[in-house]
Coordinates of all heavy atoms in Angstrom, one line a residue:
G26 N 27.5 22.3 77.6 CA 26.1 22.5 77.2 C 25.7 21.6 76.0 O 24.5 21.5 75.7
A27 N 26.6 20.9 75.4 CA 26.3 20.0 74.3 C 25.8 18.6 74.9 O 26.1 18.2 76.0 CB 27.5 19.7 73.4
K28 N 25.0 17.9 74.1 CA 24.6 16.6 74.5 C 25.7 15.6 74.4 O 26.6 15.7 73.5 CB 23.4 16.2 73.5 CG 22.2 17.0 73.7 CD 21.1 16.5 72.7 CE 19.8 17.3 72.9 NZ 18.8 16.8 72.0
V29 N 25.7 14.6 75.2 CA 26.7 13.6 75.2 C 26.3 12.6 74.1 O 25.2 12.1 74.1 CB 26.8 12.8 76.6 CG1 27.8 11.7 76.5 CG2 27.1 13.8 77.7
P30 N 27.2 12.3 73.1 CA 26.9 11.4 72.1 C 26.9 10.0 72.6 O 27.7 9.6 73.4 CB 28.1 11.6 71.1 CG 29.2 12.2 71.8 CD 28.5 13.0 73.0
V31 N 26.0 9.2 72.1 CA 25.8 7.8 72.4 C 26.0 7.0 71.2 O 25.5 7.2 70.1 CB 24.4 7.5 73.0 CG1 24.2 6.0 73.3 CG2 24.2 8.3 74.3
T32 N 26.9 5.9 71.3 CA 27.1 5.0 70.2 C 26.6 3.6 70.6 O 26.8 3.2 71.7 CB 28.6 4.9 69.9 OG1 29.1 6.1 69.4 CG2 28.9 3.8 68.9
L33 N 25.8 3.0 69.7 CA 25.3 1.7 70.0 C 26.1 0.7 69.1 O 26.2 0.8 67.9 CB 23.8 1.7 69.5 CG 23.2 0.3 69.5 CD1 23.1 -0.3 71.0 CD2 21.8 0.3 68.9
L34 N 26.7 -0.3 69.8 CA 27.4 -1.4 69.2 C 26.4 -2.6 69.1 O 25.9 -3.0 70.2 CB 28.6 -1.8 70.0 CG 29.8 -0.9 70.0 CD1 30.9 -1.5 70.9 CD2 30.3 -0.6 68.6
S35 N 26.2 -3.1 68.0 CA 25.3 -4.2 67.8 C 26.0 -5.2 66.9 O 27.0 -5.0 66.2 CB 23.9 -3.8 67.3 OG 24.1 -3.3 66.0
G36 N 25.4 -6.4 66.8 CA 25.9 -7.5 66.0 C 25.6 -8.8 66.6 O 25.4 -8.9 67.8
F37 N 25.6 -9.9 65.8 CA 25.3 -11.2 66.3 C 26.4 -11.6 67.4 O 27.4 -11.0 67.4 CB 25.3 -12.2 65.2 CG 24.1 -12.1 64.2 CD1 24.3 -12.1 62.9 CD2 22.9 -12.0 64.7 CE1 23.3 -12.0 62.0 CE2 21.8 -11.8 63.9 CZ 22.0 -11.8 62.5
L38 N 26.0 -12.7 68.1 CA 26.9 -13.2 69.1 C 28.2 -13.7 68.4 O 28.2 -14.3 67.3 CB 26.3 -14.4 69.8 CG 25.0 -14.1 70.6 CD1 24.3 -15.4 70.9 CD2 25.3 -13.3 71.8
G39 N 29.3 -13.3 69.0 CA 30.6 -13.8 68.5 C 31.2 -13.0 67.4 O 32.2 -13.5 66.8
T40 N 30.6 -11.9 67.0 CA 31.2 -11.1 65.9 C 32.3 -10.2 66.2 O 33.0 -9.7 65.4 CB 30.1 -10.3 65.2 OG1 29.5 -9.4 66.2 CG2 29.0 -11.2 64.6
G41 N 32.5 -10.0 67.5 CA 33.6 -9.1 67.9 C 33.2 -7.8 68.6 O 34.1 -6.9 68.6
K42 N 32.0 -7.7 69.0 CA 31.6 -6.4 69.7 C 32.4 -6.1 70.9 O 32.8 -4.9 71.0 CB 30.1 -6.5 70.1 CG 29.1 -6.6 69.0 CD 27.7 -6.7 69.4 CE 27.4 -7.7 70.4 NZ 27.4 -9.1 69.9
T43 N 32.7 -7.0 71.7 CA 33.5 -6.8 72.9 C 34.9 -6.4 72.6 O 35.5 -5.5 73.2 CB 33.4 -8.0 73.9 OG1 32.0 -8.3 74.2 CG2 34.2 -7.7 75.1
T44 N 35.5 -7.1 71.6 CA 36.8 -6.7 71.1 C 36.8 -5.3 70.6 O 37.7 -4.5 70.9 CB 37.3 -7.7 70.0 OG1 37.3 -9.0 70.6 CG2 38.7 -7.3 69.5
L45 N 35.9 -4.9 69.8 CA 35.8 -3.6 69.3 C 35.6 -2.6 70.4 O 36.3 -1.5 70.4 CB 34.6 -3.4 68.3 CG 34.4 -2.1 67.7 CD1 35.6 -1.6 66.9 CD2 33.1 -2.1 66.8
L46 N 34.8 -2.9 71.4 CA 34.6 -2.0 72.6 C 35.9 -1.8 73.3 O 36.3 -0.7 73.7 CB 33.5 -2.6 73.5 CG 33.3 -1.8 74.8 CD1 32.9 -0.4 74.5 CD2 32.3 -2.5 75.7
R47 N 36.6 -2.9 73.5 CA 37.9 -2.8 74.2 C 38.9 -1.9 73.4 O 39.6 -1.0 74.0 CB 38.6 -4.2 74.4 CG 38.0 -4.9 75.6 CD 38.9 -6.0 76.1 NE 39.4 -6.8 75.0 CZ 38.9 -7.9 74.5 NH1 37.8 -8.4 75.1 NH2 39.4 -8.6 73.5
N48 N 38.9 -2.1 72.1 CA 39.8 -1.2 71.3 C 39.4 0.2 71.4 O 40.2 1.1 71.5 CB 39.8 -1.7 69.8 CG 40.5 -3.0 69.6 OD1 41.4 -3.3 70.4 ND2 40.1 -3.7 68.5
L49 N 38.1 0.5 71.3 CA 37.6 1.9 71.4 C 38.0 2.5 72.8 O 38.4 3.6 72.8 CB 36.1 1.9 71.3 CG 35.4 3.2 71.4 CD1 35.8 4.1 70.3 CD2 33.9 3.0 71.3
L50 N 37.8 1.7 73.9 CA 38.2 2.2 75.2 C 39.7 2.4 75.4 O 40.1 3.3 76.0 CB 37.6 1.3 76.3 CG 36.1 1.2 76.3 CD1 35.6 0.2 77.4 CD2 35.5 2.6 76.6
E51 N 40.5 1.6 74.7 CA 41.9 1.8 74.7 C 42.3 3.1 74.1 O 43.2 3.8 74.5 CB 42.6 0.6 74.1 CG 42.6 -0.7 75.0 CD 43.1 -1.9 74.3 OE1 43.6 -1.8 73.1 OE2 43.0 -3.0 74.9
E52 N 41.6 3.4 72.9 CA 41.9 4.6 72.2 C 41.4 5.8 73.1 O 42.1 6.8 73.2 CB 41.1 4.7 70.9 CG 41.6 3.7 69.9 CD 42.9 4.1 69.2 OE1 43.2 5.3 69.3 OE2 43.6 3.2 68.7
A53 N 40.3 5.7 73.7 CA 39.8 6.7 74.6 C 40.7 7.0 75.8 O 40.9 8.1 76.2 CB 38.4 6.4 75.1
S54 N 41.3 5.9 76.3 CA 42.2 6.1 77.4 C 43.5 6.9 77.1 O 44.1 7.4 78.0 CB 42.6 4.7 78.0 OG 43.5 4.1 77.1
Q55 N 43.8 6.9 75.8 CA 45.0 7.7 75.4 C 44.7 9.2 75.4 O 45.7 10.0 75.5 CB 45.5 7.3 74.0 CG 45.8 5.8 73.9 CD 46.8 5.3 74.9 OE1 47.8 5.9 75.1 NE2 46.5 4.2 75.6
A56 N 43.5 9.6 75.3 CA 43.1 11.0 75.4 C 43.2 11.5 76.8 O 42.6 10.9 77.7 CB 41.7 11.2 74.8
K57 N 43.8 12.6 77.0 CA 43.9 13.2 78.4 C 42.5 13.5 78.9 O 41.7 14.2 78.3 CB 44.8 14.4 78.4 CG 45.1 14.9 79.8 CD 46.1 16.0 79.7 CE 46.4 16.5 81.1 NZ 47.4 17.5 81.2
D58 N 42.2 13.1 80.2 CA 41.0 13.4 80.9 C 39.7 13.0 80.1 O 38.7 13.6 80.3 CB 40.9 14.9 81.1 CG 42.0 15.5 82.0 OD1 42.5 14.7 82.9 OD2 42.5 16.6 81.8
S59 N 39.8 11.9 79.4 CA 38.7 11.4 78.7 C 37.8 10.5 79.6 O 38.4 9.8 80.4 CB 39.1 10.5 77.5 OG 38.0 10.0 76.8
K60 N 36.5 10.7 79.6 CA 35.6 9.9 80.4 C 34.6 9.3 79.5 O 33.9 10.0 78.7 CB 34.9 10.8 81.4 CG 35.7 11.0 82.7 CD 35.8 9.7 83.4 CE 36.3 10.0 84.8 NZ 36.7 8.7 85.5
V61 N 34.4 7.9 79.6 CA 33.5 7.2 78.7 C 32.6 6.4 79.6 O 33.1 5.7 80.5 CB 34.2 6.3 77.7 CG1 33.2 5.5 76.9 CG2 35.2 7.1 76.9
G62 N 31.3 6.5 79.4 CA 30.3 5.7 80.1 C 30.0 4.5 79.2 O 29.9 4.7 78.0
V63 N 30.0 3.3 79.8 CA 29.8 2.1 79.0 C 28.6 1.3 79.6 O 28.6 1.1 80.8 CB 31.0 1.2 79.0 CG1 30.8 -0.1 78.2 CG2 32.2 2.0 78.5
V64 N 27.6 1.0 78.8 CA 26.5 0.1 79.2 C 26.7 -1.2 78.4 O 26.7 -1.1 77.2 CB 25.2 0.8 78.9 CG1 24.0 -0.1 79.2 CG2 25.0 2.1 79.6
V65 N 26.8 -2.3 79.1 CA 27.0 -3.6 78.5 C 25.7 -4.4 78.8 O 25.4 -4.6 79.9 CB 28.2 -4.3 78.9 CG1 28.4 -5.6 78.2 CG2 29.5 -3.5 78.6
N66 N 25.0 -4.8 77.7 CA 23.8 -5.6 77.8 C 24.1 -7.1 77.5 O 24.8 -7.3 76.5 CB 22.8 -5.0 76.9 CG 21.5 -5.8 76.9 OD1 20.9 -6.0 75.8 ND2 21.0 -6.2 78.0
D67 N 23.5 -8.0 78.3 CA 23.7 -9.4 78.1 C 22.4 -10.1 78.4 O 21.7 -9.6 79.4 CB 24.8 -9.9 78.9 CG 25.4 -11.3 78.4 OD1 24.7 -12.0 77.6 OD2 26.5 -11.6 78.7
M68 N 22.0 -11.1 77.7 CA 20.8 -11.8 78.0 C 21.0 -12.7 79.3 O 20.0 -12.9 80.0 CB 20.4 -12.8 76.9 CG 19.9 -12.1 75.7 SD 18.3 -11.2 76.0 CE 17.2 -12.6 76.4
A69 N 22.2 -13.0 79.6 CA 22.4 -13.9 80.8 C 22.3 -13.0 82.1 O 22.5 -11.8 82.1 CB 23.8 -14.5 80.7
A70 N 22.1 -13.7 83.2 CA 22.1 -13.0 84.5 C 23.4 -12.5 84.9 O 23.6 -11.5 85.6 CB 21.5 -13.9 85.6
V71 N 24.5 -13.3 84.5 CA 25.9 -12.8 84.7 C 26.4 -12.3 83.4 O 26.5 -13.0 82.4 CB 26.7 -14.0 85.2 CG1 28.2 -13.6 85.4 CG2 26.2 -14.6 86.5
N72 N 26.8 -11.0 83.4 CA 27.2 -10.3 82.2 C 28.7 -10.5 82.0 O 29.5 -9.7 82.5 CB 26.9 -8.8 82.4 CG 26.9 -8.1 81.1 OD1 27.7 -8.4 80.2 ND2 26.1 -7.1 81.0
I73 N 29.1 -11.6 81.3 CA 30.5 -12.0 81.1 C 31.2 -10.9 80.3 O 32.3 -10.6 80.6 CB 30.5 -13.3 80.3 CG1 29.9 -14.4 81.2 CG2 32.0 -13.7 80.0 CD1 30.5 -14.7 82.5
D74 N 30.6 -10.3 79.2 CA 31.3 -9.3 78.4 C 31.7 -8.1 79.2 O 32.9 -7.6 79.1 CB 30.4 -8.9 77.2 CG 30.3 -9.9 76.1 OD1 31.1 -10.8 76.1 OD2 29.4 -9.8 75.3
A75 N 30.9 -7.6 80.1 CA 31.2 -6.5 80.9 C 32.4 -6.8 81.9 O 33.3 -6.0 82.1 CB 30.0 -6.0 81.7
K76 N 32.3 -8.0 82.4 CA 33.4 -8.4 83.4 C 34.7 -8.5 82.7 O 35.7 -8.1 83.2 CB 33.0 -9.7 84.1 CG 31.8 -9.5 85.0 CD 31.4 -10.7 85.8 CE 30.2 -10.5 86.7 NZ 29.9 -9.3 87.2
I77 N 34.7 -9.2 81.5 CA 36.0 -9.3 80.8 C 36.5 -8.0 80.3 O 37.7 -7.7 80.5 CB 35.7 -10.2 79.5 CG1 35.5 -11.7 79.9 CG2 36.9 -10.2 78.6 CD1 35.0 -12.6 78.8
T78 N 35.7 -7.1 79.8 CA 36.2 -5.8 79.3 C 36.7 -5.0 80.5 O 37.8 -4.5 80.4 CB 35.1 -5.1 78.6 OG1 34.6 -5.9 77.5 CG2 35.6 -3.7 78.1
A79 N 36.0 -4.9 81.6 CA 36.4 -4.1 82.7 C 37.7 -4.7 83.3 O 38.6 -3.9 83.6 CB 35.3 -4.1 83.8
R80 N 37.8 -6.0 83.4 CA 39.0 -6.6 84.0 C 40.2 -6.3 83.2 O 41.2 -6.0 83.7 CB 38.7 -8.1 84.2 CG 39.9 -8.7 85.0 CD 39.8 -10.2 85.1 NE 40.2 -10.8 83.9 CZ 39.6 -11.7 83.2 NH1 38.4 -12.2 83.6 NH2 40.1 -12.2 82.0
R81 N 40.1 -6.5 81.9 CA 41.2 -6.3 81.0 C 41.7 -4.9 81.0 O 42.8 -4.6 80.9 CB 40.9 -6.8 79.6 CG 40.9 -8.3 79.4 CD 40.9 -8.7 78.0 NE 40.9 -10.2 78.0 CZ 40.5 -10.9 77.0 NH1 40.0 -10.3 75.9 NH2 40.5 -12.2 77.0

Side-chain angles (χ1 to χ4, degrees):
K28 293 181 180 183
V29 177
V31 175
T32 294
L33 172 65
L34 291 179
S35 64
F37 290 132
L38 298 168
T40 57
K42 294 182 303 293
T43 301
T44 300
L45 179 60
L46 176 61
R47 279 197 318 265
N48 288 337
L49 180 62
L50 294 175
E51 287 170 5
E52 292 287 337
S54 71
Q55 302 303 314
K57 188 175 180 176
D58 299 326
S59 177
K60 277 291 192 190
V61 179
V63 180
V64 178
V65 181
N66 175 222
D67 200 340
M68 286 297 294
V71 177
N72 197 328
I73 300 299
D74 286 345
K76 293 184 185 329
I77 289 171
T78 303
R80 188 184 80 229
R81 286 193 179 159

